[in-house]
Amino acid sequence: MTNSYIRLYQQVIQIQTTGKTLCQITPQVQTIITESEIKTGICNLFIRHTSASLLIQEEDAKPDVETFFAKLVPENGQYLLAGQGLDDMPAHIRSALTHTSEQIPVNNGILQLGRLQDIYIWEHRQSGYTREVIVNILGY
C-alpha cells in the first residue's frame, strides 16, 4: 500500500446488562468500525470486569452454553469468597474460563465474523450491571 499509514481508533462503549445472560454487542462494535473509517485491520475488544466476559457465539447456542456453565460452575458451590453474594465467586470463575478480550479481522470496513457469529458480553452475575468494553481498531 502506498501512502497508507496505520491508524488506531479507540472508543469505550458502556452496555447495561440485564443479569446472567449473553448480551449481543455486534451492532455497537460495527458502528464504531464504521465511524473509524478504517477499512482493513483488526478490531480488539477488552472488557474491564472480572465477573463478565466476551464471547463470540451463535444465537441458537446461547441456552446450551448457559446451561453447561451453570452446571460446570454452580452458584451453590463451596467457595471461600462469598462477601459480594453467592453469585460473585462463580462469576469470577466463569470469567476466568472464558475471555476478557477478542480480536476480529476487519475487511472493507466490516467485521469478518462467520455467518452465524455474533459478539456478546456474557454477564455472569444475577443482577444487571453497566459494563465497559474498550474497542480498539488498528489498520488502514
Side-chain angles (χ1 to χ4, degrees):
M1 295 185 164
T2 58
N3 295 327
S4 294
Y5 297 96
I6 294 177
R7 296 183 306 132
L8 174 65
Y9 186 87
Q10 184 181 83
Q11 191 170 329
V12 177
I13 56 174
Q14 293 186 336
I15 304 293
Q16 180 63 46
T17 64
T18 59
K20 193 190 308 186
T21 191
L22 292 154
C23 175
Q24 189 189 119
I25 63 168
T26 309
Q28 294 94 322
V29 174
Q30 182 58 58
T31 296
I32 294 169
I33 291 170
T34 302
E35 290 172 3
S36 77
E37 297 182 354
I38 292 174
K39 299 298 180 195
T40 302
I42 190 88
C43 176
N44 176 272
L45 306 170
F46 176 76
I47 190 164
R48 296 164 52 147
H49 306 279
T50 57
S51 57
S53 56
L54 295 171
L55 189 67
I56 295 177
Q57 195 51 260
E58 64 180 77
E59 179 77 23
D60 291 345
K62 284 173 49 176
D64 289 329
V65 170
E66 290 172 339
T67 299
F68 175 80
F69 268 83
K71 291 177 184 175
L72 183 65
V73 187
E75 290 187 0
N76 60 356
Q78 297 294 317
Y79 304 109
L80 297 177
L81 178 64
Q84 294 183 21
L86 294 176
D87 66 340
D88 187 46
M89 195 59 224
H92 290 288
I93 293 170
R94 290 180 187 127
S95 182
L97 292 173
T98 54
H99 299 234
T100 55
S101 66
E102 293 285 353
Q103 297 76 41
I104 304 135
V106 174
N107 187 31
N108 205 22
I110 298 171
L111 285 165
Q112 296 300 290
L113 292 165
R115 183 173 63 88
L116 299 175
Q117 289 181 323
D118 277 300
I119 307 163
Y120 295 91
I121 291 177
W122 194 354
E123 178 59 67
H124 299 301
R125 301 291 304 266
Q126 291 289 346
S127 298
Y129 289 89
T130 301
R131 300 300 190 175
E132 290 187 348
V133 176
I134 301 173
V135 181
N136 284 303
I137 303 121
L138 181 67
Y140 299 95

